[in-house]
Amino acid sequence: MIQLQRNYGNALTNGEPGQVAIGSYEEYLVLARIPHCEGVSARVMDALHQRVGRTELTIEQVASDLHLTKRTLQRRLQSQNTNFAQLRDDLRFNYAIKYLIDDNMSVDLVSRALDFSDRTSFTNAFKRWTGLSPSSFRKMFRDHA
């Protein structure tokens, strides 16, 4: 069994450089699970959940929702050893799996719902998270819907 690990910046691999690991759908669901957050991180995740699919997922907008300045929000997240981009990626990855498989949304719609600048940006992020393109991922796991 291939052990999957969340590792933004690298494709999931089976231990050999350039080898993409293909796990089960359930393993990807575990990988895409949003981690438990506390404090300001939890407040950020709540704000992101409220915004996803409706409006921008920017740090400026979330900071405004939380009645904080952008810099104050960054400092508070840093004190919890996290950052806004990481929290947003966690949320986006979770929703990407849901939207692609469970909701059968098009890649373009998923890209827009998750506030990526374009389809290519979403595809690149998805490949970073899974090692697969969104279309390939959907084809592999379409029977799990």
Side-chain angles (χ1 to χ4, degrees):
M1 179 158 127
I2 298 169
Q3 186 141 24
L4 300 175
Q5 297 178 13
R6 172 175 274 141
N7 187 0
Y8 296 123
N10 295 324
L12 301 174
T13 64
N14 63 5
E16 298 178 31
Q19 295 290 317
V20 175
I22 308 300
S24 70
Y25 180 67
E26 290 75 21
E27 288 174 310
Y28 281 107
L29 289 178
V30 169
L31 186 67
R33 188 173 295 141
I34 296 173
H36 174 73
C37 299
E38 294 182 1
V40 75
S41 294
R43 292 178 58 206
V44 167
M45 291 306 279
D46 288 343
L48 287 169
H49 277 293
Q50 294 297 316
R51 290 183 154 276
V52 74
R54 293 175 187 66
T55 188
E56 295 177 351
L57 303 177
T58 65
I59 190 170
E60 291 84 5
Q61 295 296 322
V62 170
S64 176
D65 291 349
L66 300 178
H67 307 291
L68 300 170
T69 65
K70 175 184 169 184
R71 185 64 191 121
T72 298
L73 178 57
Q74 289 171 324
R75 278 195 309 273
R76 290 186 182 176
L77 290 172
Q78 185 178 21
S79 74
Q80 292 187 316
N81 297 316
T82 192
N83 62 60
F84 181 80
Q86 183 177 359
L87 293 173
R88 184 176 57 189
D89 263 0
D90 288 346
L91 178 107
R92 282 174 162 173
F93 185 27
N94 176 275
Y95 274 93
I97 300 289
K98 176 189 180 318
Y99 286 161
L100 287 170
I101 304 300
D102 298 340
D103 296 349
N104 201 29
M105 289 172 62
S106 73
V107 176
D108 286 328
L109 281 175
V110 174
S111 172
R112 285 194 296 267
L114 298 179
D115 195 33
F116 281 91
S117 59
D118 55 37
R119 179 186 174 134
T120 302
S121 297
F122 169 63
T123 298
N124 290 338
F126 198 83
K127 283 181 182 177
R128 186 175 72 244
W129 298 329
T130 66
L132 299 167
S133 71
S135 299
S136 297
F137 185 87
R138 183 192 319 248
K139 286 176 189 167
M140 285 183 61
F141 299 115
R142 67 177 153 232
D143 296 335
H144 291 277

